[in-house]
Amino acid sequence: MKSEPESFSFDDLKKAQNQTTPWDGVRNYQARNFMKNDMQIGDMVLFYHSNCKVPGGIGLALVASKPYPDFTQFDKISKYFDPKSDKDNPRWYLVDVKYLMDFPEIVSLSSIKTNENLNGMLLVKKGMRLSIQPVNREEFEEIIRMAGLNLNQVMKRYDEVKKSI
DNA sequence: GCCAACGTTGGC
DNA sequence: GCCAACGTTGGC
């Protein structure tokens, strides 16, 4: 899941109440569908910083709720207000995201691009600017390794945090 | 349903 | 700040 650190950074997530935040404001149907149709509580999230000095993976989070309607679509003073959305049939959905752990090393976009094991990642495909993208297990484990973590460390922390959801 | 015009994303 | 590559809008 991508975010622009200027508007909401990984550090902001870490400091948020219960280290959890609703992933509001997604207004792209494909990205919405990933949240609405494919995400489940406990799914691992690669947190990515875009539109910044060093774009790349910065840490891990996890999906902390089932999908539910994005409340900002009904909020007239929100910049995400959608006058065409119907309360009985909301157009936009989101999930809550909870902080898991920092990457010891940022996994930069440029290092992802030069890693041949990650040639298949959607992120490195031409013109790919979707803010939410699926990542497969092999890609995920490669990113973890590049970040300076091993899977045992990650899973230990994962089990702790998952219990707290 | 087509497509031009416009807005947004996001790396560089 | 630039601009390529998308996605969306809305007239027809």
Side-chain angles (χ1 to χ4, degrees):
Chain A
M1 298 174 87
K2 297 187 196 176
S3 79
E4 301 189 15
E6 290 273 311
S7 48
F8 189 86
S9 69
F10 193 53
D11 208 44
D12 291 332
L13 177 64
K14 200 170 174 177
K15 289 176 185 158
Q17 186 167 26
N18 202 25
Q19 300 193 312
T20 303
T21 196
W23 206 255
D24 60 285
V26 170
R27 293 296 180 267
N28 171 286
Y29 287 103
Q30 230 184 319
R32 178 207 66 180
N33 289 344
F34 285 129
M35 290 197 286
K36 187 167 183 255
N37 305 330
D38 301 332
M39 286 191 183
Q40 295 178 303
I41 293 177
D43 281 354
M44 198 77 86
V45 173
L46 275 173
F47 202 105
Y48 180 92
H49 276 173
S50 68
N51 222 341
C52 56
K53 208 192 286 181
V54 183
I58 180 100
L60 296 175
L62 45 88
V63 174
S65 77
K66 291 181 176 175
Y68 62 97
D70 182 340
F71 48 92
T72 63
Q73 69 195 302
F74 304 120
D75 179 359
K76 285 194 173 130
I77 61 167
S78 168
K79 67 171 175 172
Y80 300 120
F81 177 63
D82 183 349
K84 291 181 185 165
S85 186
D86 176 3
K87 281 215 169 181
D88 295 326
N89 184 23
R91 183 179 289 190
W92 305 111
Y93 278 72
L94 55 70
V95 294
D96 290 345
V97 170
K98 180 159 190 174
Y99 170 81
L100 193 65
M101 64 198 299
D102 291 279
F103 282 165
E105 311 267 356
I106 291 178
V107 182
S108 69
L109 176 61
S110 61
S111 69
I112 292 172
K113 280 181 172 168
T114 55
N115 185 333
E116 294 205 347
N117 296 328
L118 298 177
N119 280 348
M121 276 193 87
L122 286 177
L123 184 69
V124 300
K125 305 277 185 192
K126 190 173 180 181
M128 192 34 142
R129 37 174 237 198
L130 205 53
S131 65
I132 299 176
Q133 305 175 12
V135 175
N136 70 32
R137 176 174 292 273
E138 291 72 27
E139 293 161 353
F140 177 79
E141 292 185 1
E142 182 71 6
I143 298 280
I144 291 303
R145 194 189 59 70
M146 292 167 77
L149 293 167
N150 68 55
L151 213 49
N152 285 342
Q153 290 173 284
V154 172
M155 292 319 293
K156 191 170 170 231
R157 170 77 180 149
Y158 175 87
D159 290 338
E160 280 170 25
V161 176
K162 197 179 173 194
K163 269 185 270 177
S164 74
I165 294 175

